[in-house]
Amino acid sequence: MAKKKRIDLRHAKSGMVLAAPVLSENGRVIINEDVALTEAMLQNLATWQIPAISIWDESELPRQFSVTHFTDEYDSTVQLVDSAFASMRFCGELPLAEMQQNVINSVLQMTDTIGALHHLQAMRRLGEYTIHHSVGVSVICGVLGKWLGYDGTALRDLVLAGLLHDIGKTQVPEELLGKPEKLTDEEMSQMRQHSALAIQLLRKTETATMDVVLAILQHHERMDGSGYPNGLRGDQIHPYARILAVADLYDAVTNDRPFQQKMSPFGAARLIAGDMYDKLDTATSATFLEHLRDYFTGIQVQLSDGRLAEVVMIGSDYTFQPVVKTQDGKFIDIGRTPSLKISQLAGS
Ligand SMILES: [Fe+2]
């Protein structure tokens, strides 16, 4: 069991994980325990003249629980996926055996990290959008897969499907992928070929299982038949593809894309809730949203007027409009305050 350590605030660094809540002079929680500190949080703690904090001693923590390790795994996974995609684009070869060994293990370690979805928001996404998106989706597939009870080979397949779901985009002209404006109808239909194109690529490589192939082929199919490439419905869509659809949507909208600015995870949750009875699989979405609600309760967020606040309660109605408590102790019901919204998680 890891040890708690009390340290002077001057020695605190971003990435350290709090072992006890930081309290204000009158006993209010400023930041909850198990939250990884960010630079912004440290600055705020200094402003509030907090003298010392309790952290988990990283040297005692299993490596997979440290945010530093998460960042290392994230960066090295991005590099490996980047070179795998490049070798696909330029040589027509996918180093699948290597991905199955090293990359999946890295993603599973990220998946096992406390606050993985939170850390994912804080990663710096420099370089090609598709590469970061692929790594993000695979981590979310791992987290959601575990919440749904997957483990062993099934979980590894799910993570691999996440990593490779957009591999077909290596066959789409690069100008289209990075185009800052909205795509024309013609360009959009070219882009939409990526899920079917992936199958031709995977056929050439040895060991992708049928589950992985179907997950990738069907990740843009929708439960009501409105998806592509085949307009499949309901049970015709592989369960992994339904998980992938939720993970894909969540990662896409919570990150800046060439033609669209990111929204907060709360907005993303609302979007999933809006689609969960027609386009997305209801049970998969419900599991994701239930866990997200627990996940976001107690965290620090930034409000649209710039204030920091703690999420105190999120209702069970999937509107993801929480009650928050500001630093000066005011409780605000975001759902009843049209002038305010949650901009971002603090520090992301
Ligand atoms: Fe896709």
Side-chain angles (χ1 to χ4, degrees):
M1 202 41 211
K3 273 194 204 142
K4 292 181 184 183
K5 198 162 82 171
R6 190 121 181 115
I7 59 165
D8 193 302
L9 187 70
R10 285 169 304 175
H11 300 138
K13 292 196 176 68
S14 73
M16 287 179 168
V17 180
L18 287 172
V22 181
L23 303 176
S24 66
E25 251 179 15
N26 52 8
R28 282 195 306 251
V29 175
I30 299 175
I31 309 177
N32 250 322
E33 63 187 327
D34 288 332
V35 169
L37 291 168
T38 62
E39 285 299 340
M41 290 177 192
L42 288 172
Q43 276 169 21
N44 278 311
L45 291 179
T47 316
W48 298 323
Q49 300 184 319
I50 302 292
I53 54 170
S54 287
I55 54 145
W56 292 111
D57 186 352
E58 284 232 0
S59 57
E60 300 271 344
L61 275 179
R63 252 177 86 63
Q64 69 265 32
F65 291 132
S66 92
V67 68
T68 330
H69 184 54
F70 185 97
T71 312
D72 290 348
E73 293 295 341
Y74 181 85
D75 289 342
S76 67
T77 306
V78 162
Q79 269 183 21
L80 282 166
V81 173
D82 194 19
S83 63
F85 273 54
S87 114
M88 192 78 246
R89 181 179 287 277
F90 301 112
C91 319
E93 258 174 46
L94 185 69
L96 196 61
E98 188 185 318
M99 294 197 85
Q100 276 171 327
Q101 280 173 12
N102 304 332
V103 185
I104 296 177
N105 288 342
S106 288
V107 173
L108 287 174
Q109 290 199 38
M110 286 187 262
T111 297
D112 282 341
T113 306
I114 297 171
L117 294 187
H118 199 161
H119 296 334
L120 209 48
Q121 290 293 303
M123 294 298 109
R124 294 176 67 214
R125 294 193 168 197
L126 302 171
E128 203 186 314
Y129 167 79
T130 308
I131 306 297
H132 288 277
H133 173 61
S134 301
V135 177
V137 168
S138 72
V139 174
I140 299 165
C141 275
V143 170
L144 175 53
K146 282 171 78 172
W147 287 343
L148 289 162
Y150 285 85
D151 58 11
T153 317
L155 190 64
R156 295 181 74 84
D157 273 356
L158 204 46
V159 163
L160 182 65
L163 281 166
L164 298 180
H165 77 284
D166 274 345
I167 189 80
K169 288 194 178 166
T170 57
Q171 310 302 299
V172 173
E174 283 186 283
E175 312 82 74
L176 277 196
L177 300 180
K179 192 176 168 190
E181 304 92 41
K182 224 171 162 44
L183 300 181
T184 64
D185 289 351
E186 165 74 11
E187 289 168 334
M188 187 61 95
S189 72
Q190 214 178 342
M191 188 74 113
R192 283 182 163 200
Q193 288 169 10
H194 76 276
S195 44
L197 283 169
I199 303 316
Q200 294 168 24
L201 302 177
L202 289 170
R203 230 184 245 144
K204 284 193 239 162
T205 57
E206 340 82 89
T207 48
T209 63
M210 192 46 79
D211 291 323
V212 172
V213 171
L214 287 176
I216 295 171
L217 173 66
Q218 298 174 354
H219 77 273
H220 287 293
E221 298 287 1
R222 292 294 177 259
M223 298 299 279
D224 58 2
S226 64
Y228 62 89
N230 296 315
L232 301 181
R233 284 170 184 273
D235 288 348
Q236 295 175 313
I237 305 170
H238 194 289
Y240 293 7
R242 299 185 222 166
I243 296 169
L244 205 39
V246 174
D248 187 14
L249 180 62
Y250 182 81
D251 186 81
V253 298
T254 54
N255 287 284
D256 286 330
R257 285 175 283 173
F259 55 90
Q260 206 156 355
Q261 273 198 334
K262 68 177 174 185
M263 59 170 73
S264 82
F266 292 84
R270 272 194 296 280
L271 210 62
I272 290 170
D275 281 352
M276 69 184 282
Y277 298 109
D278 46 17
K279 295 189 166 25
L280 299 171
D281 180 59
T282 309
T284 304
S285 308
T287 300
F288 191 55
L289 296 177
E290 293 290 333
H291 280 85
L292 279 191
R293 197 169 52 216
D294 291 347
Y295 213 87
F296 291 146
T297 304
I299 64 165
Q300 293 281 314
V301 290
Q302 184 162 37
L303 305 179
S304 48
D305 63 3
R307 277 183 294 174
L308 283 179
E310 181 196 338
V311 175
V312 178
M313 197 192 78
I314 304 174
S316 54
D317 52 5
Y318 294 153
T319 54
F320 280 84
Q321 301 279 23
V323 174
V324 299
K325 191 168 93 179
T326 58
Q327 286 163 7
D328 53 9
K330 265 202 193 121
F331 285 87
I332 304 171
D333 184 344
I334 297 288
R336 289 164 186 244
T337 318
S339 57
L340 267 187
K341 64 187 189 86
I342 291 174
S343 301
Q344 273 315 321
L345 307 189
S348 65

